């Protein structure tokens, strides 16, 4: 704040109103040679930062690293108080004709398509709060049957969670997946419903 006091003083001096009357000439009149106010302010600001470039860059790097390791948490989620299971239909309506690499249209505009008609969802997604030690212990003990499993944080530090679980960690930035699957409680598990073209979403009450 003290860096700006000289600039504030200059601005205040220009706000004073001078009342003048004709009292004659007492000497030679000279044009007022005055430095441009913006130039003065820019000079003060430049002087304040001169020699601090590396410090500023370091602070910027630290801030970026901090934000990368701990993104903005997804809001509105609570802990699961009981085990519940529901299904999610991944079907979607095609908005335009979709051709294959040969140009043959295999999905037409307005057609409802279920991805499971083409391939299986051989993944298990775990949505957890990385700052909750109970959820960390719970997910560490899980043994999914799918070939791929992903731990997705909605809150917490990505690096420390990855170190604690010795596994690559993902973060649902902006709550895109939470919104897509209408997840409200944690931890939640998303996988394929056996023998049905649906996803299964399970909320788990961690003891």
């Amino acid at each position: 704040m003290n860096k700006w006091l000289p600039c504030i003083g200059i601005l205040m001096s220009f706000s004073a109103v001078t009342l003048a009357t004709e009292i004659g000439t007492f000497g030679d009149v000279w044009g007022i040679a005055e430095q441009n106010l913006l130039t003065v302010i820019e000079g003060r600001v430049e002087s304040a930062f001169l020699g601090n470039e590396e410090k500023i860059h370091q602070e910027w790097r630290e801030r970026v690293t901090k934000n990368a390791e701990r993104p903005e948490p997804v809001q509105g989620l609570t802990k699961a108080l009981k085990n519940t299971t529901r299904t999610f239909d991944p079907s979607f309506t095609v908005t335009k004709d979709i051709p294959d690499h040969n140009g043959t249209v295999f999905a037409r505009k307005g057609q409802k398509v279920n991805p499971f008609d083409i391939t299986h969802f051989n993944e298990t997604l775990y949505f957890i709060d990385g700052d909750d030690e109970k959820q960390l212990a719970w997910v560490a003990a899980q043994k999914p049957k799918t070939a791929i499993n992903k731990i997705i944080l909605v809150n917490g530090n990505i690096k420390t969670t990855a170190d604690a679980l010795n596994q690559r960690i993902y973060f649902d930035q902006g709550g895109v997946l939470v919104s897509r699957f209408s997840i409200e409680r944690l931890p939640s598990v998303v996988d394929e419903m056996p023998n049905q073209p649906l996803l299964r979403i399970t909320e788990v009450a961690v003891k």
Side-chain angles (χ1 to χ4, degrees), residues 63-75 129 131 153-161 169-175:
R63 185 164 58 252
V64 170
T65 300
K66 181 179 179 181
N67 290 339
E69 291 181 352
R70 180 181 283 274
E72 189 71 22
V74 180
Q75 302 295 327
D129 181 342
D131 286 343
L153 295 188
V154 297
N155 178 51
N157 187 296
I158 297 174
K159 183 179 184 303
T160 57
T161 304
I169 301 298
Y170 300 84
F171 199 101
D172 187 16
Q173 287 189 297

Side-chain angles (χ1 to χ4, degrees), residues 21-46:
T21 57
E22 179 58 49
I23 57 175
T25 301
F26 286 83
D28 295 330
V29 178
W30 301 89
I32 301 176
E34 192 172 78
Q35 191 174 5
N36 183 280
L37 180 58
L38 288 179
T39 302
V40 173
I41 294 176
E42 289 172 359
R44 299 294 177 98
V45 173
E46 183 177 351

Side-chain angles (χ1 to χ4, degrees), residues 46-93:
E46 183 177 351
S47 298
F49 286 97
L50 189 63
N52 294 323
E53 293 91 343
E54 182 56 34
K55 180 181 178 182
I56 294 170
H57 290 162
Q58 179 63 27
E59 291 176 350
W60 178 81
R61 285 192 294 268
E62 291 175 354
R63 185 164 58 252
V64 170
T65 300
K66 181 179 179 181
N67 290 339
E69 291 181 352
R70 180 181 283 274
E72 189 71 22
V74 180
Q75 302 295 327
L77 300 174
T78 60
K79 294 181 182 179
L81 300 179
K82 61 180 180 180
N83 296 342
T84 62
T85 299
R86 59 184 173 85
T87 58
F88 176 86
D89 186 353
S91 299
F92 64 95
T93 301

